[in-house]
Structures are given as C-alpha cells and as structure tokens.
Amino acid sequence: MNYHMSPEQFREEGKKLIDWIADYYEQVEKYPVLSQVQPGNITKQLPNNAPEKGEEFSTVMKDVEQIIMPGITHWQSPNFFAYFQSNNSFPSILGDLLSSGLGVQGMLWATSPACTELETRVMDWLVDLKGLPKHFKSTENGGGVIQDTASSAVLAALLAARERKTNFACNQTGDNSGLVAYISTQTHSSVEKGVKVMGLGTDRLRRIEVDRHFAMRPDLLEKQIQQDLEAGLKPFFVCATIGTTSSNAVDPIEAIGRVCRQHSIWLHVDAAMSGTAALLPDYRQYFEGLELADSYAFNPHKWMFTNFDCDCFWVADKAVLIKTLSILPEYLKNEATEKGAVIDYRDWHVQLGRRFRSLKLWFVLRHYGAEGLRYHINQHIELTQLFTEWVKDSDDFELLSEPPFNLVLFRHTKGNEFNKYLMDCLNKDGKIYLTHTVLNGTFWLRMSIGQTQTEERHVQEAWRLIKEKAETL
Amino acid sequence: MNYHMSPEQFREEGKKLIDWIADYYEQVEKYPVLSQVQPGNITKQLPNNAPEKGEEFSTVMKDVEQIIMPGITHWQSPNFFAYFQSNNSFPSILGDLLSSGLGVQGMLWATSPACTELETRVMDWLVDLKGLPKHFKSTENGGGVIQDTASSAVLAALLAARERKTNFACNQTGDNSGLVAYISTQTHSSVEKGVKVMGLGTDRLRRIEVDRHFAMRPDLLEKQIQQDLEAGLKPFFVCATIGTTSSNAVDPIEAIGRVCRQHSIWLHVDAAMSGTAALLPDYRQYFEGLELADSYAFNPHKWMFTNFDCDCFWVADKAVLIKTLSILPEYLKNEATEKGAVIDYRDWHVQLGRRFRSLKLWFVLRHYGAEGLRYHINQHIELTQLFTEWVKDSDDFELLSEPPFNLVLFRHTKGNEFNKYLMDCLNKDGKIYLTHTVLNGTFWLRMSIGQTQTEERHVQEAWRLIKEKAETL
C-alpha cells in the first residue's frame, strides 16, 4: 500500500499539464495582464486547513483554473510591458522539467558531476557568445556560476571584495571598520540590501551623482574616493550598471574601471536586465571596459528566454570568491573535493543546496543557437526603436532619451498626476500592463519590450491604447 | 519568421519528456547510485562553443542520455542512503512544471497576488499540520515564507536577530560590536557561513559542547552567555537543532529556549532534515519548547516529497524580519504595498525575485493529504528501526545510539580505516550509496532512510550488501 502517484497516473496527468501549458500560451492574451483581484480574494477561497485525505489531481487543477488563475499577473503575455520582461520559452520549461524530474543536488561536484560540469561549460560558452573578457572563463583564473538572482550575485561580490580588501580577516574578526562601497543614485536597491546584509551599514554606502543621462559620473566617484581616503577610510567596492532598472542608463564602465584599478577597488558590473544585448556585436560598445571588472552578472531569466531563476555571475579570480565562502564540514568531505580537481559550487554562493539549473540554459542555447538568440534580441530592440519614433512624432508625449536597449521612458505632456492616472487606467483595463519610475521628481512611464511572444502588432496596439486612453481622460 | 519552439512541438516534446521521466523512475535502480565518472569526463564530451544554429530537441535529449546521465548521482534511487534524502514525488514535479510554465514573478503581492496568497495559506496549513506554535501563523504576529534553503533561512534569522538586538541600528551604522552568537559543536555549517556573510566574524561564534548524545548542553550555554555578559559582550542569537546533520541529535529546545528568553536572545530552531517528523503526533516530544523560538525552519525538499528548492521558514514576529530586510525603490511602489494590506515576500529574504514555489508544496499536500504524508513518514521511521535492530543483533557492527527519526549511525567494529574502505567499496559498486561522519575521532557510516521509493526490500538488500562486503574485504 502507498499513497504515491503511480508512473501511469503521472504520464496521464503530466501530458494533460503539458497541453494545459501550451493552451495557456496560445490563449494568454485573453486574460487581463495585471491581475484584477483585491487583497485577500485568493486566500478566502482556500480552505483553512490542509486536506486530511488526498485529493484527485483533477480537483487540484480545477482550483488552479478557478482560484489561482484570476490571481496571476501574466508575465508571459505579449502585452506585458511592466518592470522588466521575464521572458520564458518552451525549451526552458522543458529543461526545468528535466531538472525537477531528476531531482539531483548539485552542492558538490561529487553529488552529481554532470550538474557541475555542464554549468561550468555553459558559463564558459556565454563568455564567448557575449564577447566578455576571457579571464572570466573557468579555464583561466575566473569562472562562472548560476546564482538565483542578481541580488545574490551582488552579495557574493560584496563579500569577496570585503575579504580581498581585509586580507580575509573580516570573515574571522568581523572587523569591517572603514570599508566604503560606492554606487550611483540610480543603482538597483539590491546593493543597498547587500550592504545591510553583510553588516556594513548604509552609512558606508556612497551614492554618486549621475549625469543628465542618469549614468554615474566617474569624476565624482574619484572625488568621493579621494575624500574618503583622506578621511582614513577604505574604499573597497564599486557597483556599475549597464542598463539601470529605472531608466536603462549605462554607466561608463571603462572610466569607472580605471578609477577602481587605481585604488584597488573591486568593480562589480550589474547588467541584470540589459546584459543580453552583448550577444549583438553592435551593442558591445556599452560593455567596453568590462576587462577592468572583478565580477559581472546578467540574468537570462530576464531577457534570454530562460525561466526564473537563472542569474549568470562571473568572477575574474575564482580563488578569492571560493576562499570567502568555503566551509567544509566532515560530512561533506569526499575524495574529489580534497584533491582539488573539481569545482564545488556550494563555495560560490550563500546556499549549500542547489538544483540542476544549467539544464534549462543549455536547452535554450541549443534550441535557439546563437543565431536565434541574436535574431530575437535584435527584434526587441527594433520594436523599441519603432515605439520611440512614435513617441517622438507625437505632440502629446515626450521621450526621456534615446533608449540604448529595449526600455523606453516616456510621458504625456500633461504632468505627473495625469501620467499616473493614465497608467492606472490602462492597467485596470487589463489589455496592457506598464509601470513607472520617478526621476528628479518627474513621473515617467516605462515600456519594457521583450516578452517572448511580443510582436509589432502588440506594440502598435499598446501605443494605440495609450493614445486613446490619454484622449478620453 | 521566428526561432521559438511552437506550441505544437512543445506538446509533442513535452509529452515525450513526461514519459522519459516516468521511465526514469521505473528504471532508476538500473543505474549505479553514485556516478562513477572522473573529474572532467562530462566536460570533455561537451563542445567548446555554443551552437551557432539551433538544434533539434531530439539531439539534445540524446546528449542528456549519453553525456549527462552517466554524470548523475541518483538522489531519487530507492538505494540512495547518503547525506540526507531529497525525496521527490510526481505531484511535486507537476507543481514545479506549472510554476515554470506560468513563469510569474512573486516579488511583490501585486506582481501576482496568487503567488503570495497561496504561499501564506500553505505555510499556515503547515503550522497546524505539524502542531507548531500558533504564533507562527500569518493570522497572528508571525508568518511563514518559502526560502530556497535552510542556509538562507538561518541567514535571515541572524539578520533579524541582529537588528532586533541593535534596535535596527546595524543596518545603518554597521556597528555590530560585541554581538555574540551560539551554536553547538554539532550545528550545521550554514550558521558559520551566515556569521561570515553577515560580517560578524567567526570569532564571535561560540560552539557549545554537547552531551553524550551530541545534543547541546543548556547548562554550558548558560555559562558561556554569563561569561560573555560579564565581558561586556551582547549575546543575540542561538541556533538549536532538531536532528543535526551529522548524527540526528536533538538539542533540548525547551531548556535552551528558557535561557534565550531570560537574556532576550533570538532562538532559531533548525529542523531542516527532521522537521517533517512533527507531522506525527508521537514525535512531537522532540519539538517541545518551540513556543520559545523566534524562528523555525524545515525543508520539505528533504523529507516531504517536494523537489528542491523548498525550505519553510517561520518567524514569531514578522514585523522584525520585514523591517530588517525591506527596501522600497520608486519603481516597485504600488497601491497594495503602500496601503499595507498585503505581504510582499521580497522583504522576507535576501533575493528580490521569486518563483511560484508554493504550487509544488500545495500539490504535494493535496495529493497525499495529511494522512498520506503521515503514513509514509512513519514507514521511513519504521524501516529505520528495523535496520537499527539488525545492527544491534549483529556481532560485527555497532550502533551509535537509538535513532530518533530516520538516520542510523553505525560502524563495523574493525575501526576507522576499515569503515572508510568499506564505504568506498560499497559506493564504487554502485548498488547503494551511503556517506559518513566523524564524531570525536570515530568514523561512522550514515544511513539515511527516506527516499520516496525506498521499501523494506531495499533496506534489506542494503544491509545484506554491507554485511557481505565487510566479510569479503
């Protein structure tokens, strides 16, 4: 006797679920993009207690359709233009399914060698595909690892930078006195969070002013560092961004990198959202200077057809990262680790356990090929340029600046309140979903164009809806 | 023109993959449990570069079979008795598939309300199912969140404890002076790692000696705290364990909790591996005193048929955790968050992004029902007791102590080197896989009995193989 689902039932329900997912993608446009439920709506439809007796799978799937689906904001809709895209693809879903099915633990090389070796290889592939500096490859001093998110990547970078600067003393003594980190006023909040987590404190985080394109000013960075040095402090970390979250600004990596080198400061470059653009040689200008970076991260789970979570993080000197994060209790000792012949990815991030995440990335790379990825990324950028032209041609709307990649910031000329009201009305209609930011007190609409199924007709229709709604308000 | 996989092809390949996974589980016993490849074996079969042109899905699956599978250590084999079990189930695979398919981001309530509300509800269900203190429920001051791993959970607990003790000053000033954390000599390495990550430094981590059952001695904890207080230090955190990794020892939670309360110290209880046993009322004696804990974690991805990653983490006072980890940049502002009517799980862990992890847990709970889970967990414990009896009845093997749950520590009487050799030989044969630990200089074999498909015949056969191998060495 047992309560397990039998392989036969799994075959049957699994195939139905595959069809369900295919149907979902074929019909995703029928849903309001932004879920229209109110707080508590889902909760009150779920019983107060877990069932005592097991239930039929079909009953659960009925609840998925009736209770869960109205509470879904459809990130995979071609009409989703909010936040950042988080574009998925069928090959990625299949890779992730295989990972769930195999159920292996990749904490050590020994606990599933393929999980480690495929990850290392795929991360090396991406260095070449994106034209990244060779020293990020595992065959050099560097190496790449899949982290869950860019937040975890920047935390790992902060920690490695701290230990390098303190000669690996802080891990033991906790003495972080005088350490100072630098970001711009536009850097993602994950660095501030990382600075809190690592116990440095936000007082020790300097926010460097930006130029009129919202990019960090290297002259002001240099000036602040000089001031801090004169005050006896120890600058140890700078985070530069290629494509900020708010407005897709690109910090001048090369100039910032030179400042960092001069003062032996760890440079982390965060290209979480826009890093995929480096697949296109024409866009590598924005990545110039990356050879001066100590670490670099981008998220295939944003703009490379790979479902969450998949952040690719590279370091130029893996020994520093490993020394910072390694722990080896007796119950994890094994021959391969002790010989030093292998990578144990447990020592590359906070977590010990890890799933076989490289499968989905490998499936995506092999399904699309470099050619297919370049084609679609280029398409997204072209659609963005098209939308940009429409905004520029319009009397009622204005553009923040020429978008470098696939995020347009624009606004109606009628001011902040009107724009916020316009956005809320559009999102409540449910036909498209877009979000906002505020820059120097001005409210801007953000249009992020990069969902897997987004085509010209969706962007056209979005623009028509935006104009129409603005006229009727 | 596009390079995407069509829904038709996804239906076809997805169904084949479902069959592939079902076949895998039906045939998993044919593989050597521990992968027999050497370092670099997998790598050298993978090309140096990503493909320029996309490839057929069938080609990729052929490589999965020929290149990847020999590099897999089969955690889902019924003959896997190593480390801890990481037991998977078909309902969990389906829940995870649905999560991959929907591809939603759950960082905020607003970005998919169902993702947040289902998680909250399922975490509340588990409080009742496991007989945990009611104050961990979201309807009280507490609440639960799914973290990726117990390492991330303990880091979150450390940070909340730090901020509570410093009145939320450390996040800003970085001043952690005098803070001291306490574990036993047997506590999992994740706490040491967390103490490094948070910048406290391992000098400020006290390892309390254990009793002869390897459980933390509360009298020595109290004594060390007194010493530290007299030295002007600030004890702020204790981690107690229900089921240590090495030997499944159970720290006396109630006695430790009283010490913590007396000195206003945050008590985190880690039951990553053994926490599932609380589903059985007969085993709740080991969890007594949990009402004195500030936080508690266990991993359904270890022993509750839910595939990695799924760590359940509760806090008694969610306001402290949220205040510790919250960040609210403009581009994430939204009405629901500002009204305070909702949970934004982004503020409950280091990461910002999060996938819809509660689906797989919900699928498991509904498929098995409380009854089914209790049945199987009880079965694993009974098999463990059976194995224990065999060891006790044997002249050649000895037992460390009566196992409380599902992990047996035993050894051949011939000494450390013999036992290590015995283990290596057994693992190289590939029929079973078990690992070891060292306690007070003595090498012990660890037999963790809890894989989904493990039945009495597998445990019997394992014992036969162990005895037979020992005789032939």
Side-chain angles (χ1 to χ4, degrees), chain A residues 4 15 26 62-63 82 86 90 105 175 192 197 201 228 235 241 247 280 326 329 366 384 402 414 436 446:
Chain A
H4 301 307
K15 289 170 191 177
E26 286 179 333
K62 204 177 288 168
D63 284 351
S86 178
F90 290 133
Q105 253 303 334
D175 181 5
E192 181 182 338
V197 168
D228 288 330
T241 309
S247 71
L280 304 173
S326 84
R366 296 194 63 181
T384 308
E402 291 289 335
K414 279 191 186 158
H436 80 285
R446 292 168 78 267

Side-chain angles (χ1 to χ4, degrees), chain B residues 81-100:
Chain B
F81 302 105
Y83 302 107
F84 45 85
Q85 62 283 352
S86 178
N87 62 21
N88 204 348
S89 69
F90 290 132
S92 175
I93 295 170
L94 295 176
D96 217 19
L97 170 58
L98 181 59
S99 169
S100 302

Side-chain angles (χ1 to χ4, degrees), chain A residues 128-200:
Chain A
D128 289 334
L129 270 186
K130 297 184 60 181
L132 302 178
K134 298 289 178 214
H135 64 234
F136 283 138
K137 284 183 127 174
S138 70
T139 46
E140 310 279 323
N141 285 336
V145 61
I146 303 178
Q147 300 258 4
D148 48 13
T149 63
S151 300
S152 293
V154 81
L155 177 59
L158 280 162
L159 297 172
R162 177 187 76 190
E163 293 308 309
R164 190 175 75 175
K165 185 56 96 180
T166 63
N167 203 16
F168 299 92
C170 187
N171 260 345
Q172 192 198 325
T173 64
D175 181 5
N176 62 21
S177 53
L179 294 180
V180 190
Y182 304 80
I183 58 177
S184 87
T185 57
Q186 297 299 310
T187 307
H188 190 265
S189 57
S190 56
V191 186
E192 181 182 338
K193 195 162 178 175
V195 161
K196 290 179 174 185
V197 168
M198 73 184 288
L200 191 67

Side-chain angles (χ1 to χ4, degrees), chain B residues 27 66 108 168 190 268 294 296 318 407 422 452:
Chain B
Q27 298 163 25
Q66 291 175 358
L108 303 173
F168 300 91
S190 55
H268 175 67
D294 295 286
Y296 169 76
K318 58 177 166 280
L407 174 68
L422 172 62
T452 308

Side-chain angles (χ1 to χ4, degrees), chain A residues 11 25 43 52-53 55 63 88 100-101 117 121 148 162 196 349 351 366 368 371 374, chain B residues 4 25-26 43 48 52-53 55 63 88 96 100-101 117 148 162 193 196 351 366 371 374:
Chain A
R11 288 176 202 271
Y25 281 85
T43 305
E52 174 60 23
K53 300 254 176 212
E55 297 174 80
D63 284 351
N88 204 348
S100 302
E117 294 195 14
R121 185 59 96 162
D148 48 13
R162 177 187 76 190
K196 290 179 174 185
H349 46 46
Q351 300 85 354
R366 296 194 63 181
Y368 285 94
E371 179 186 79
R374 285 195 300 261
Chain B
H4 300 309
Y25 281 86
E26 286 177 335
T43 304
N48 283 325
E52 175 60 23
K53 301 254 176 210
E55 297 174 81
D63 284 351
N88 204 348
D96 217 19
S100 302
E117 295 196 15
D148 48 12
R162 177 187 77 190
K193 194 161 177 175
K196 290 179 174 184
Q351 299 86 352
R366 296 193 65 181
E371 179 185 80
R374 285 195 300 262

Side-chain angles (χ1 to χ4, degrees), chain B residues 91-331:
Chain B
S92 175
I93 295 170
L94 295 176
D96 217 19
L97 170 58
L98 181 59
S99 169
S100 302
L102 289 173
V104 304
Q105 251 304 335
M107 59 186 180
L108 303 173
W109 177 87
T111 59
S112 260
C115 181
T116 294
E117 295 196 15
L118 181 65
E119 184 162 329
T120 307
R121 185 59 97 166
V122 167
M123 292 296 287
D124 282 346
W125 282 4
L126 281 168
V127 171
D128 290 333
L129 270 186
K130 296 183 61 179
L132 302 177
K134 298 288 177 215
H135 65 235
F136 283 138
K137 283 183 126 172
S138 71
T139 46
E140 309 281 324
N141 286 335
V145 61
I146 302 178
Q147 301 258 4
D148 48 12
T149 62
S151 299
S152 294
V154 80
L155 176 59
L158 280 162
L159 297 171
R162 177 187 77 190
E163 294 308 309
R164 190 175 76 176
K165 184 57 94 179
T166 63
N167 203 15
F168 300 91
C170 186
N171 261 344
Q172 191 198 326
T173 64
D175 181 5
N176 64 21
S177 52
L179 294 180
V180 191
Y182 304 81
I183 57 177
S184 87
T185 56
Q186 297 298 310
T187 307
H188 190 265
S189 57
S190 55
V191 186
E192 181 182 338
K193 194 161 177 175
V195 160
K196 290 179 174 184
V197 168
M198 73 184 287
L200 190 67
T202 49
D203 286 351
R204 237 81 73 63
L205 181 64
R206 307 278 186 259
R207 291 169 203 273
I208 307 300
E209 281 301 324
V210 292
D211 64 20
R212 65 194 177 86
H213 301 295
F214 301 96
M216 189 192 284
R217 279 185 53 186
D219 58 325
L220 296 181
L221 172 68
E222 171 70 37
K223 197 174 150 192
Q224 181 65 52
I225 290 171
Q226 287 296 351
Q227 273 182 21
D228 288 330
L229 286 169
E230 283 158 26
L233 298 171
K234 296 175 206 150
F236 82 108
F237 180 86
V238 172
C239 179
T241 308
I242 298 172
T244 59
T245 310
S246 219
S247 70
N248 236 5
V250 179
D251 291 337
I253 305 301
E254 191 153 6
I256 293 170
R258 280 197 300 267
V259 174
C260 290
R261 278 290 163 98
Q262 196 189 331
H263 301 289
S264 301
I265 296 171
W266 184 290
L267 173 60
H268 175 67
V269 176
D270 175 8
M273 187 157 66
S274 305
T276 310
L279 290 172
L280 305 173
D282 285 353
Y283 289 84
R284 294 202 184 138
Q285 52 182 306
Y286 297 107
F287 296 78
E288 274 172 25
L290 211 51
E291 64 281 3
L292 300 170
D294 295 286
S295 54
Y296 169 76
F298 92 109
N299 293 356
H301 71 229
K302 285 200 166 80
W303 193 21
M304 214 176 82
F305 311 109
T306 309
N307 68 309
F308 188 89
D309 43 6
C310 185
D311 164 273
C312 291
F313 174 65
W314 286 271
V315 286
D317 184 352
K318 58 177 166 280
V320 173
L321 180 67
I322 292 169
K323 195 168 173 191
T324 299
L325 291 170
S326 84
I327 295 273
L328 183 54
E330 183 64 36
Y331 46 80

